[in-house]
Amino acid sequence: MKIAVLNGPNLNRLGKREPEIYGSKTLDDIAAELRSAIPEAEFEFYQSNHEGDLVDKFSELAESDCQGVIFNPAAYSHTSVALRDAISASGLTVIEVHISNIHSREQFRHHSFTAEVSKGVITGLGTDGYLLAARALL
Ligand code: DQA
């Protein structure tokens, strides 16, 4: 199974960014964990701080043999109709992941446009959320 793991803005700084909220693991650590825990899947990792690049990535994946997407849209979850539409238009099965529990934080984080068109959402289970999402896709 081919799974794309997409991460949105500021997640390039995971491990250094607000570790009391997001923990100390980096995106590279998460990639290594996924590859070692689930060797039967082929993972592609992509991170961008730019909304349009993430929209373009969904278009590209829609035309590929990718079978599922793990997506942490980060702050764009709460603002981006463009990414919501990109997910819908792609026809791909998407599991949204948030490292922190967005419902126990500021009010503006409680709504996610992208969650509305995702198959499921994992929020608040730390970086294990990526692993759980991959297992759900499998
Ligand atoms: C996040 C939660 C978002 O509200 C925030 O903007 C992020 C990270 C998370 O993984 O907990 O950048 O998606």
PDB file of all heavy atoms in Angstrom, residues 4-11 14 17 22 27 30 46-48 54 58 69-78 83 94-100 102 114 122 126-127 130:
ATOM      1  N   ALA A   4       0.741   8.486   1.549  1.00  0.00           N
ATOM      2  CA  ALA A   4       1.427   9.785   1.609  1.00  0.00           C
ATOM      3  C   ALA A   4       1.196  10.395   2.985  1.00  0.00           C
ATOM      4  O   ALA A   4       0.081  10.320   3.525  1.00  0.00           O
ATOM      5  CB  ALA A   4       0.887  10.707   0.524  1.00  0.00           C
ATOM      6  N   VAL A   5       2.249  10.961   3.539  1.00  0.00           N
ATOM      7  CA  VAL A   5       2.157  11.617   4.846  1.00  0.00           C
ATOM      8  C   VAL A   5       2.467  13.090   4.632  1.00  0.00           C
ATOM      9  O   VAL A   5       3.602  13.457   4.318  1.00  0.00           O
ATOM     10  CB  VAL A   5       3.155  10.993   5.852  1.00  0.00           C
ATOM     11  CG1 VAL A   5       2.975  11.619   7.236  1.00  0.00           C
ATOM     12  CG2 VAL A   5       2.996   9.470   5.917  1.00  0.00           C
ATOM     13  N   LEU A   6       1.423  13.911   4.731  1.00  0.00           N
ATOM     14  CA  LEU A   6       1.569  15.340   4.426  1.00  0.00           C
ATOM     15  C   LEU A   6       1.496  16.156   5.716  1.00  0.00           C
ATOM     16  O   LEU A   6       0.635  15.914   6.568  1.00  0.00           O
ATOM     17  CB  LEU A   6       0.461  15.815   3.475  1.00  0.00           C
ATOM     18  CG  LEU A   6       0.209  14.998   2.203  1.00  0.00           C
ATOM     19  CD1 LEU A   6      -0.817  15.713   1.331  1.00  0.00           C
ATOM     20  CD2 LEU A   6       1.488  14.763   1.439  1.00  0.00           C
ATOM     21  N   ASN A   7       2.372  17.116   5.813  1.00  0.00           N
ATOM     22  CA  ASN A   7       2.391  18.000   6.985  1.00  0.00           C
ATOM     23  C   ASN A   7       2.401  19.456   6.553  1.00  0.00           C
ATOM     24  O   ASN A   7       3.130  19.834   5.635  1.00  0.00           O
ATOM     25  CB  ASN A   7       3.625  17.698   7.839  1.00  0.00           C
ATOM     26  CG  ASN A   7       3.431  16.441   8.670  1.00  0.00           C
ATOM     27  OD1 ASN A   7       2.720  16.439   9.672  1.00  0.00           O
ATOM     28  ND2 ASN A   7       4.051  15.346   8.236  1.00  0.00           N
ATOM     29  N   GLY A   8       1.597  20.253   7.250  1.00  0.00           N
ATOM     30  CA  GLY A   8       1.444  21.660   6.903  1.00  0.00           C
ATOM     31  C   GLY A   8       2.382  22.579   7.656  1.00  0.00           C
ATOM     32  O   GLY A   8       3.430  22.153   8.161  1.00  0.00           O
ATOM     33  N   PRO A   9       2.001  23.854   7.745  1.00  0.00           N
ATOM     34  CA  PRO A   9       2.915  24.909   8.187  1.00  0.00           C
ATOM     35  C   PRO A   9       3.446  24.738   9.608  1.00  0.00           C
ATOM     36  O   PRO A   9       2.723  24.337  10.519  1.00  0.00           O
ATOM     37  CB  PRO A   9       2.060  26.181   8.087  1.00  0.00           C
ATOM     38  CG  PRO A   9       0.649  25.712   8.077  1.00  0.00           C
ATOM     39  CD  PRO A   9       0.672  24.357   7.410  1.00  0.00           C
ATOM     40  N   ASN A  10       4.713  25.052   9.730  1.00  0.00           N
ATOM     41  CA  ASN A  10       5.461  25.062  10.998  1.00  0.00           C
ATOM     42  C   ASN A  10       5.817  23.673  11.521  1.00  0.00           C
ATOM     43  O   ASN A  10       6.532  23.565  12.513  1.00  0.00           O
ATOM     44  CB  ASN A  10       4.715  25.867  12.083  1.00  0.00           C
ATOM     45  CG  ASN A  10       4.493  27.301  11.658  1.00  0.00           C
ATOM     46  OD1 ASN A  10       5.455  27.975  11.300  1.00  0.00           O
ATOM     47  ND2 ASN A  10       3.257  27.762  11.635  1.00  0.00           N
ATOM     48  N   LEU A  11       5.333  22.646  10.834  1.00  0.00           N
ATOM     49  CA  LEU A  11       5.667  21.297  11.306  1.00  0.00           C
ATOM     50  C   LEU A  11       7.078  20.890  10.880  1.00  0.00           C
ATOM     51  O   LEU A  11       7.606  19.896  11.387  1.00  0.00           O
ATOM     52  CB  LEU A  11       4.608  20.290  10.840  1.00  0.00           C
ATOM     53  CG  LEU A  11       3.252  20.512  11.543  1.00  0.00           C
ATOM     54  CD1 LEU A  11       2.151  19.688  10.898  1.00  0.00           C
ATOM     55  CD2 LEU A  11       3.337  20.194  13.033  1.00  0.00           C
ATOM     56  N   LEU A  14       9.016  20.751  14.008  1.00  0.00           N
ATOM     57  CA  LEU A  14       8.624  19.790  15.042  1.00  0.00           C
ATOM     58  C   LEU A  14       9.884  19.271  15.745  1.00  0.00           C
ATOM     59  O   LEU A  14      10.899  18.980  15.109  1.00  0.00           O
ATOM     60  CB  LEU A  14       7.883  18.626  14.380  1.00  0.00           C
ATOM     61  CG  LEU A  14       6.905  17.855  15.244  1.00  0.00           C
ATOM     62  CD1 LEU A  14       5.828  18.765  15.806  1.00  0.00           C
ATOM     63  CD2 LEU A  14       6.263  16.729  14.432  1.00  0.00           C
ATOM     64  N   ARG A  17       9.831  23.143  18.100  1.00  0.00           N
ATOM     65  CA  ARG A  17       8.715  24.063  18.260  1.00  0.00           C
ATOM     66  C   ARG A  17       7.860  23.673  19.472  1.00  0.00           C
ATOM     67  O   ARG A  17       7.315  22.570  19.518  1.00  0.00           O
ATOM     68  CB  ARG A  17       7.866  23.963  16.988  1.00  0.00           C
ATOM     69  CG  ARG A  17       6.558  24.646  17.033  1.00  0.00           C
ATOM     70  CD  ARG A  17       5.646  24.158  15.900  1.00  0.00           C
ATOM     71  NE  ARG A  17       4.427  24.923  15.928  1.00  0.00           N
ATOM     72  CZ  ARG A  17       3.319  24.566  15.321  1.00  0.00           C
ATOM     73  NH1 ARG A  17       3.271  23.468  14.601  1.00  0.00           N
ATOM     74  NH2 ARG A  17       2.256  25.312  15.409  1.00  0.00           N
ATOM     75  N   TYR A  22       3.966  19.907  21.547  1.00  0.00           N
ATOM     76  CA  TYR A  22       4.109  18.983  20.411  1.00  0.00           C
ATOM     77  C   TYR A  22       5.136  17.878  20.620  1.00  0.00           C
ATOM     78  O   TYR A  22       5.296  17.020  19.744  1.00  0.00           O
ATOM     79  CB  TYR A  22       4.444  19.789  19.138  1.00  0.00           C
ATOM     80  CG  TYR A  22       3.376  20.800  18.782  1.00  0.00           C
ATOM     81  CD1 TYR A  22       3.624  22.173  18.841  1.00  0.00           C
ATOM     82  CD2 TYR A  22       2.098  20.387  18.403  1.00  0.00           C
ATOM     83  CE1 TYR A  22       2.639  23.100  18.523  1.00  0.00           C
ATOM     84  CE2 TYR A  22       1.099  21.301  18.089  1.00  0.00           C
ATOM     85  CZ  TYR A  22       1.377  22.658  18.158  1.00  0.00           C
ATOM     86  OH  TYR A  22       0.392  23.559  17.847  1.00  0.00           O
ATOM     87  N   LEU A  27       9.987  15.418  12.388  1.00  0.00           N
ATOM     88  CA  LEU A  27       9.309  14.725  11.278  1.00  0.00           C
ATOM     89  C   LEU A  27      10.139  13.540  10.799  1.00  0.00           C
ATOM     90  O   LEU A  27       9.592  12.506  10.414  1.00  0.00           O
ATOM     91  CB  LEU A  27       9.060  15.692  10.110  1.00  0.00           C
ATOM     92  CG  LEU A  27       7.888  16.676  10.251  1.00  0.00           C
ATOM     93  CD1 LEU A  27       7.707  17.455   8.953  1.00  0.00           C
ATOM     94  CD2 LEU A  27       6.582  15.976  10.619  1.00  0.00           C
ATOM     95  N   ILE A  30       9.437  10.650  13.034  1.00  0.00           N
ATOM     96  CA  ILE A  30       8.125  10.055  12.739  1.00  0.00           C
ATOM     97  C   ILE A  30       8.234   9.178  11.485  1.00  0.00           C
ATOM     98  O   ILE A  30       7.705   8.065  11.431  1.00  0.00           O
ATOM     99  CB  ILE A  30       7.055  11.156  12.556  1.00  0.00           C
ATOM    100  CG1 ILE A  30       6.813  11.865  13.898  1.00  0.00           C
ATOM    101  CG2 ILE A  30       5.748  10.583  12.017  1.00  0.00           C
ATOM    102  CD1 ILE A  30       6.017  13.157  13.789  1.00  0.00           C
ATOM    103  N   TYR A  46       5.903  14.540   2.808  1.00  0.00           N
ATOM    104  CA  TYR A  46       5.953  15.868   2.195  1.00  0.00           C
ATOM    105  C   TYR A  46       5.523  16.891   3.239  1.00  0.00           C
ATOM    106  O   TYR A  46       4.528  16.691   3.936  1.00  0.00           O
ATOM    107  CB  TYR A  46       4.989  15.915   0.994  1.00  0.00           C
ATOM    108  CG  TYR A  46       4.943  17.249   0.307  1.00  0.00           C
ATOM    109  CD1 TYR A  46       5.950  17.652  -0.561  1.00  0.00           C
ATOM    110  CD2 TYR A  46       3.877  18.132   0.542  1.00  0.00           C
ATOM    111  CE1 TYR A  46       5.909  18.892  -1.191  1.00  0.00           C
ATOM    112  CE2 TYR A  46       3.829  19.369  -0.081  1.00  0.00           C
ATOM    113  CZ  TYR A  46       4.848  19.738  -0.944  1.00  0.00           C
ATOM    114  OH  TYR A  46       4.804  20.965  -1.557  1.00  0.00           O
ATOM    115  N   GLN A  47       6.289  17.956   3.347  1.00  0.00           N
ATOM    116  CA  GLN A  47       5.905  19.052   4.261  1.00  0.00           C
ATOM    117  C   GLN A  47       6.003  20.359   3.497  1.00  0.00           C
ATOM    118  O   GLN A  47       6.938  20.578   2.722  1.00  0.00           O
ATOM    119  CB  GLN A  47       6.851  19.083   5.479  1.00  0.00           C
ATOM    120  CG  GLN A  47       6.440  20.046   6.591  1.00  0.00           C
ATOM    121  CD  GLN A  47       6.892  21.487   6.361  1.00  0.00           C
ATOM    122  OE1 GLN A  47       7.907  21.728   5.713  1.00  0.00           O
ATOM    123  NE2 GLN A  47       6.133  22.441   6.865  1.00  0.00           N
ATOM    124  N   SER A  48       5.020  21.240   3.718  1.00  0.00           N
ATOM    125  CA  SER A  48       5.119  22.586   3.142  1.00  0.00           C
ATOM    126  C   SER A  48       4.482  23.600   4.089  1.00  0.00           C
ATOM    127  O   SER A  48       3.498  23.297   4.774  1.00  0.00           O
ATOM    128  CB  SER A  48       4.430  22.660   1.782  1.00  0.00           C
ATOM    129  OG  SER A  48       4.497  23.991   1.305  1.00  0.00           O
ATOM    130  N   LEU A  54       0.378  22.620  -0.916  1.00  0.00           N
ATOM    131  CA  LEU A  54      -0.353  21.461  -0.397  1.00  0.00           C
ATOM    132  C   LEU A  54      -1.533  21.125  -1.308  1.00  0.00           C
ATOM    133  O   LEU A  54      -1.827  19.947  -1.550  1.00  0.00           O
ATOM    134  CB  LEU A  54      -0.810  21.728   1.043  1.00  0.00           C
ATOM    135  CG  LEU A  54       0.350  21.792   2.058  1.00  0.00           C
ATOM    136  CD1 LEU A  54      -0.077  22.514   3.335  1.00  0.00           C
ATOM    137  CD2 LEU A  54       0.864  20.394   2.388  1.00  0.00           C
ATOM    138  N   PHE A  58      -2.143  17.510  -3.428  1.00  0.00           N
ATOM    139  CA  PHE A  58      -3.342  16.669  -3.529  1.00  0.00           C
ATOM    140  C   PHE A  58      -3.686  16.371  -4.987  1.00  0.00           C
ATOM    141  O   PHE A  58      -4.077  15.248  -5.323  1.00  0.00           O
ATOM    142  CB  PHE A  58      -4.526  17.306  -2.783  1.00  0.00           C
ATOM    143  CG  PHE A  58      -4.552  16.911  -1.330  1.00  0.00           C
ATOM    144  CD1 PHE A  58      -4.079  17.771  -0.355  1.00  0.00           C
ATOM    145  CD2 PHE A  58      -5.022  15.666  -0.941  1.00  0.00           C
ATOM    146  CE1 PHE A  58      -4.072  17.397   0.984  1.00  0.00           C
ATOM    147  CE2 PHE A  58      -5.027  15.281   0.397  1.00  0.00           C
ATOM    148  CZ  PHE A  58      -4.549  16.150   1.367  1.00  0.00           C
ATOM    149  N   VAL A  69      -3.923   8.864   2.537  1.00  0.00           N
ATOM    150  CA  VAL A  69      -3.142  10.034   2.962  1.00  0.00           C
ATOM    151  C   VAL A  69      -3.318  10.252   4.467  1.00  0.00           C
ATOM    152  O   VAL A  69      -4.438  10.207   4.983  1.00  0.00           O
ATOM    153  CB  VAL A  69      -3.610  11.309   2.208  1.00  0.00           C
ATOM    154  CG1 VAL A  69      -2.808  12.528   2.652  1.00  0.00           C
ATOM    155  CG2 VAL A  69      -3.509  11.122   0.695  1.00  0.00           C
ATOM    156  N   ILE A  70      -2.206  10.462   5.134  1.00  0.00           N
ATOM    157  CA  ILE A  70      -2.222  10.921   6.530  1.00  0.00           C
ATOM    158  C   ILE A  70      -1.870  12.402   6.453  1.00  0.00           C
ATOM    159  O   ILE A  70      -0.837  12.774   5.896  1.00  0.00           O
ATOM    160  CB  ILE A  70      -1.169  10.170   7.367  1.00  0.00           C
ATOM    161  CG1 ILE A  70      -1.472   8.665   7.361  1.00  0.00           C
ATOM    162  CG2 ILE A  70      -1.118  10.719   8.798  1.00  0.00           C
ATOM    163  CD1 ILE A  70      -0.353   7.808   7.945  1.00  0.00           C
ATOM    164  N   PHE A  71      -2.756  13.248   6.968  1.00  0.00           N
ATOM    165  CA  PHE A  71      -2.578  14.691   6.753  1.00  0.00           C
ATOM    166  C   PHE A  71      -2.690  15.443   8.072  1.00  0.00           C
ATOM    167  O   PHE A  71      -3.722  15.361   8.749  1.00  0.00           O
ATOM    168  CB  PHE A  71      -3.654  15.172   5.777  1.00  0.00           C
ATOM    169  CG  PHE A  71      -3.500  16.600   5.306  1.00  0.00           C
ATOM    170  CD1 PHE A  71      -2.267  17.239   5.269  1.00  0.00           C
ATOM    171  CD2 PHE A  71      -4.621  17.311   4.868  1.00  0.00           C
ATOM    172  CE1 PHE A  71      -2.133  18.552   4.816  1.00  0.00           C
ATOM    173  CE2 PHE A  71      -4.506  18.616   4.409  1.00  0.00           C
ATOM    174  CZ  PHE A  71      -3.262  19.244   4.386  1.00  0.00           C
ATOM    175  N   ASN A  72      -1.615  16.149   8.401  1.00  0.00           N
ATOM    176  CA  ASN A  72      -1.696  17.131   9.493  1.00  0.00           C
ATOM    177  C   ASN A  72      -1.650  18.510   8.833  1.00  0.00           C
ATOM    178  O   ASN A  72      -0.567  19.016   8.520  1.00  0.00           O
ATOM    179  CB  ASN A  72      -0.547  16.960  10.485  1.00  0.00           C
ATOM    180  CG  ASN A  72      -0.701  17.888  11.680  1.00  0.00           C
ATOM    181  OD1 ASN A  72      -1.475  18.850  11.636  1.00  0.00           O
ATOM    182  ND2 ASN A  72       0.024  17.628  12.752  1.00  0.00           N
ATOM    183  N   PRO A  73      -2.818  19.127   8.609  1.00  0.00           N
ATOM    184  CA  PRO A  73      -2.849  20.423   7.917  1.00  0.00           C
ATOM    185  C   PRO A  73      -2.397  21.580   8.809  1.00  0.00           C
ATOM    186  O   PRO A  73      -2.332  22.723   8.364  1.00  0.00           O
ATOM    187  CB  PRO A  73      -4.322  20.600   7.530  1.00  0.00           C
ATOM    188  CG  PRO A  73      -5.014  19.319   7.904  1.00  0.00           C
ATOM    189  CD  PRO A  73      -4.172  18.645   8.932  1.00  0.00           C
ATOM    190  N   ALA A  74      -2.123  21.268  10.093  1.00  0.00           N
ATOM    191  CA  ALA A  74      -1.689  22.278  11.070  1.00  0.00           C
ATOM    192  C   ALA A  74      -2.677  23.456  11.068  1.00  0.00           C
ATOM    193  O   ALA A  74      -3.885  23.233  11.027  1.00  0.00           O
ATOM    194  CB  ALA A  74      -0.245  22.690  10.812  1.00  0.00           C
ATOM    195  N   ALA A  75      -2.193  24.684  11.068  1.00  0.00           N
ATOM    196  CA  ALA A  75      -3.100  25.839  11.188  1.00  0.00           C
ATOM    197  C   ALA A  75      -4.076  25.954  10.020  1.00  0.00           C
ATOM    198  O   ALA A  75      -5.171  26.513  10.172  1.00  0.00           O
ATOM    199  CB  ALA A  75      -2.279  27.114  11.319  1.00  0.00           C
ATOM    200  N   TYR A  76      -3.712  25.389   8.858  1.00  0.00           N
ATOM    201  CA  TYR A  76      -4.645  25.465   7.717  1.00  0.00           C
ATOM    202  C   TYR A  76      -5.931  24.685   7.952  1.00  0.00           C
ATOM    203  O   TYR A  76      -6.933  24.930   7.282  1.00  0.00           O
ATOM    204  CB  TYR A  76      -3.970  24.979   6.431  1.00  0.00           C
ATOM    205  CG  TYR A  76      -2.927  25.929   5.877  1.00  0.00           C
ATOM    206  CD1 TYR A  76      -1.746  25.443   5.320  1.00  0.00           C
ATOM    207  CD2 TYR A  76      -3.132  27.297   5.890  1.00  0.00           C
ATOM    208  CE1 TYR A  76      -0.787  26.306   4.811  1.00  0.00           C
ATOM    209  CE2 TYR A  76      -2.180  28.166   5.384  1.00  0.00           C
ATOM    210  CZ  TYR A  76      -1.005  27.664   4.846  1.00  0.00           C
ATOM    211  OH  TYR A  76      -0.059  28.516   4.343  1.00  0.00           O
ATOM    212  N   SER A  77      -5.918  23.736   8.904  1.00  0.00           N
ATOM    213  CA  SER A  77      -7.161  23.021   9.246  1.00  0.00           C
ATOM    214  C   SER A  77      -8.265  24.009   9.566  1.00  0.00           C
ATOM    215  O   SER A  77      -9.425  23.799   9.218  1.00  0.00           O
ATOM    216  CB  SER A  77      -6.984  22.168  10.508  1.00  0.00           C
ATOM    217  OG  SER A  77      -5.751  21.553  10.566  1.00  0.00           O
ATOM    218  N   HIS A  78      -7.868  25.065  10.268  1.00  0.00           N
ATOM    219  CA  HIS A  78      -8.849  25.990  10.840  1.00  0.00           C
ATOM    220  C   HIS A  78      -9.228  27.120   9.887  1.00  0.00           C
ATOM    221  O   HIS A  78     -10.098  27.925  10.207  1.00  0.00           O
ATOM    222  CB  HIS A  78      -8.289  26.580  12.146  1.00  0.00           C
ATOM    223  CG  HIS A  78      -7.599  25.558  12.997  1.00  0.00           C
ATOM    224  ND1 HIS A  78      -8.231  24.421  13.451  1.00  0.00           N
ATOM    225  CD2 HIS A  78      -6.315  25.468  13.457  1.00  0.00           C
ATOM    226  CE1 HIS A  78      -7.367  23.691  14.159  1.00  0.00           C
ATOM    227  NE2 HIS A  78      -6.203  24.315  14.173  1.00  0.00           N
ATOM    228  N   LEU A  83      -7.964  23.849   0.883  1.00  0.00           N
ATOM    229  CA  LEU A  83      -7.486  22.484   1.168  1.00  0.00           C
ATOM    230  C   LEU A  83      -8.648  21.519   1.371  1.00  0.00           C
ATOM    231  O   LEU A  83      -8.563  20.349   1.009  1.00  0.00           O
ATOM    232  CB  LEU A  83      -6.556  22.488   2.387  1.00  0.00           C
ATOM    233  CG  LEU A  83      -5.118  22.874   2.041  1.00  0.00           C
ATOM    234  CD1 LEU A  83      -4.295  23.143   3.295  1.00  0.00           C
ATOM    235  CD2 LEU A  83      -4.462  21.772   1.213  1.00  0.00           C
ATOM    236  N   VAL A  94      -8.432  10.198   3.348  1.00  0.00           N
ATOM    237  CA  VAL A  94      -7.531  11.015   4.165  1.00  0.00           C
ATOM    238  C   VAL A  94      -7.858  10.810   5.640  1.00  0.00           C
ATOM    239  O   VAL A  94      -9.026  10.848   6.040  1.00  0.00           O
ATOM    240  CB  VAL A  94      -7.683  12.517   3.806  1.00  0.00           C
ATOM    241  CG1 VAL A  94      -6.870  13.400   4.743  1.00  0.00           C
ATOM    242  CG2 VAL A  94      -7.282  12.764   2.353  1.00  0.00           C
ATOM    243  N   ILE A  95      -6.829  10.576   6.426  1.00  0.00           N
ATOM    244  CA  ILE A  95      -6.994  10.591   7.891  1.00  0.00           C
ATOM    245  C   ILE A  95      -6.272  11.837   8.398  1.00  0.00           C
ATOM    246  O   ILE A  95      -5.074  12.025   8.136  1.00  0.00           O
ATOM    247  CB  ILE A  95      -6.393   9.349   8.560  1.00  0.00           C
ATOM    248  CG1 ILE A  95      -6.890   8.091   7.858  1.00  0.00           C
ATOM    249  CG2 ILE A  95      -6.686   9.381  10.068  1.00  0.00           C
ATOM    250  CD1 ILE A  95      -7.703   7.134   8.604  1.00  0.00           C
ATOM    251  N   GLU A  96      -7.009  12.687   9.084  1.00  0.00           N
ATOM    252  CA  GLU A  96      -6.411  13.915   9.630  1.00  0.00           C
ATOM    253  C   GLU A  96      -5.795  13.603  10.999  1.00  0.00           C
ATOM    254  O   GLU A  96      -6.411  12.922  11.824  1.00  0.00           O
ATOM    255  CB  GLU A  96      -7.490  14.989   9.747  1.00  0.00           C
ATOM    256  CG  GLU A  96      -6.960  16.293  10.337  1.00  0.00           C
ATOM    257  CD  GLU A  96      -7.877  17.476  10.026  1.00  0.00           C
ATOM    258  OE1 GLU A  96      -8.309  17.616   8.867  1.00  0.00           O
ATOM    259  OE2 GLU A  96      -8.154  18.247  10.956  1.00  0.00           O
ATOM    260  N   VAL A  97      -4.596  14.114  11.198  1.00  0.00           N
ATOM    261  CA  VAL A  97      -3.903  13.907  12.477  1.00  0.00           C
ATOM    262  C   VAL A  97      -3.531  15.253  13.075  1.00  0.00           C
ATOM    263  O   VAL A  97      -3.022  16.139  12.374  1.00  0.00           O
ATOM    264  CB  VAL A  97      -2.617  13.054  12.278  1.00  0.00           C
ATOM    265  CG1 VAL A  97      -1.766  13.045  13.550  1.00  0.00           C
ATOM    266  CG2 VAL A  97      -2.962  11.629  11.880  1.00  0.00           C
ATOM    267  N   HIS A  98      -3.804  15.404  14.364  1.00  0.00           N
ATOM    268  CA  HIS A  98      -3.267  16.528  15.141  1.00  0.00           C
ATOM    269  C   HIS A  98      -2.528  15.950  16.329  1.00  0.00           C
ATOM    270  O   HIS A  98      -3.065  15.077  17.030  1.00  0.00           O
ATOM    271  CB  HIS A  98      -4.384  17.458  15.624  1.00  0.00           C
ATOM    272  CG  HIS A  98      -5.114  18.113  14.497  1.00  0.00           C
ATOM    273  ND1 HIS A  98      -4.584  19.165  13.788  1.00  0.00           N
ATOM    274  CD2 HIS A  98      -6.302  17.817  13.925  1.00  0.00           C
ATOM    275  CE1 HIS A  98      -5.434  19.510  12.839  1.00  0.00           C
ATOM    276  NE2 HIS A  98      -6.479  18.710  12.892  1.00  0.00           N
ATOM    277  N   ILE A  99      -1.344  16.437  16.553  1.00  0.00           N
ATOM    278  CA  ILE A  99      -0.521  15.941  17.662  1.00  0.00           C
ATOM    279  C   ILE A  99      -1.159  16.346  18.991  1.00  0.00           C
ATOM    280  O   ILE A  99      -1.273  15.545  19.916  1.00  0.00           O
ATOM    281  CB  ILE A  99       0.906  16.507  17.517  1.00  0.00           C
ATOM    282  CG1 ILE A  99       1.525  15.968  16.216  1.00  0.00           C
ATOM    283  CG2 ILE A  99       1.760  16.163  18.734  1.00  0.00           C
ATOM    284  CD1 ILE A  99       2.748  16.726  15.754  1.00  0.00           C
ATOM    285  N   SER A 100      -1.557  17.599  19.069  1.00  0.00           N
ATOM    286  CA  SER A 100      -2.229  18.090  20.277  1.00  0.00           C
ATOM    287  C   SER A 100      -3.739  17.868  20.143  1.00  0.00           C
ATOM    288  O   SER A 100      -4.232  17.587  19.048  1.00  0.00           O
ATOM    289  CB  SER A 100      -1.938  19.586  20.460  1.00  0.00           C
ATOM    290  OG  SER A 100      -2.471  20.325  19.371  1.00  0.00           O
ATOM    291  N   ILE A 102      -6.894  19.425  19.643  1.00  0.00           N
ATOM    292  CA  ILE A 102      -7.349  20.756  19.196  1.00  0.00           C
ATOM    293  C   ILE A 102      -8.602  21.204  19.954  1.00  0.00           C
ATOM    294  O   ILE A 102      -8.880  22.394  20.040  1.00  0.00           O
ATOM    295  CB  ILE A 102      -7.579  20.823  17.659  1.00  0.00           C
ATOM    296  CG1 ILE A 102      -8.593  19.787  17.175  1.00  0.00           C
ATOM    297  CG2 ILE A 102      -6.263  20.688  16.918  1.00  0.00           C
ATOM    298  CD1 ILE A 102      -8.989  19.938  15.700  1.00  0.00           C
ATOM    299  N   THR A 114     -10.895  20.867   7.092  1.00  0.00           N
ATOM    300  CA  THR A 114     -10.378  19.674   6.418  1.00  0.00           C
ATOM    301  C   THR A 114     -10.903  18.385   7.062  1.00  0.00           C
ATOM    302  O   THR A 114     -11.075  17.380   6.371  1.00  0.00           O
ATOM    303  CB  THR A 114      -8.840  19.711   6.431  1.00  0.00           C
ATOM    304  OG1 THR A 114      -8.404  20.122   7.742  1.00  0.00           O
ATOM    305  CG2 THR A 114      -8.308  20.701   5.413  1.00  0.00           C
ATOM    306  N   ILE A 122      -7.623  11.926  14.175  1.00  0.00           N
ATOM    307  CA  ILE A 122      -6.955  11.514  15.412  1.00  0.00           C
ATOM    308  C   ILE A 122      -6.336  12.774  15.999  1.00  0.00           C
ATOM    309  O   ILE A 122      -5.522  13.431  15.334  1.00  0.00           O
ATOM    310  CB  ILE A 122      -5.875  10.448  15.138  1.00  0.00           C
ATOM    311  CG1 ILE A 122      -6.520   9.186  14.551  1.00  0.00           C
ATOM    312  CG2 ILE A 122      -5.112  10.122  16.428  1.00  0.00           C
ATOM    313  CD1 ILE A 122      -5.538   8.160  14.028  1.00  0.00           C
ATOM    314  N   GLY A 126      -0.504  12.709  20.541  1.00  0.00           N
ATOM    315  CA  GLY A 126       0.910  12.935  20.267  1.00  0.00           C
ATOM    316  C   GLY A 126       1.283  12.422  18.884  1.00  0.00           C
ATOM    317  O   GLY A 126       0.417  12.200  18.020  1.00  0.00           O
ATOM    318  N   THR A 127       2.575  12.172  18.695  1.00  0.00           N
ATOM    319  CA  THR A 127       3.029  11.721  17.371  1.00  0.00           C
ATOM    320  C   THR A 127       2.613  10.275  17.090  1.00  0.00           C
ATOM    321  O   THR A 127       2.680   9.826  15.948  1.00  0.00           O
ATOM    322  CB  THR A 127       4.558  11.889  17.224  1.00  0.00           C
ATOM    323  OG1 THR A 127       5.186  11.249  18.338  1.00  0.00           O
ATOM    324  CG2 THR A 127       4.955  13.351  17.200  1.00  0.00           C
ATOM    325  N   TYR A 130       0.190   9.466  14.064  1.00  0.00           N
ATOM    326  CA  TYR A 130       0.579   9.124  12.683  1.00  0.00           C
ATOM    327  C   TYR A 130       0.581   7.604  12.484  1.00  0.00           C
ATOM    328  O   TYR A 130       0.145   7.094  11.456  1.00  0.00           O
ATOM    329  CB  TYR A 130       1.967   9.691  12.363  1.00  0.00           C
ATOM    330  CG  TYR A 130       2.011  11.207  12.262  1.00  0.00           C
ATOM    331  CD1 TYR A 130       2.240  11.994  13.384  1.00  0.00           C
ATOM    332  CD2 TYR A 130       1.836  11.845  11.036  1.00  0.00           C
ATOM    333  CE1 TYR A 130       2.289  13.376  13.305  1.00  0.00           C
ATOM    334  CE2 TYR A 130       1.885  13.230  10.934  1.00  0.00           C
ATOM    335  CZ  TYR A 130       2.110  13.990  12.076  1.00  0.00           C
ATOM    336  OH  TYR A 130       2.147  15.358  11.978  1.00  0.00           O
TER     337      TYR A 130
END
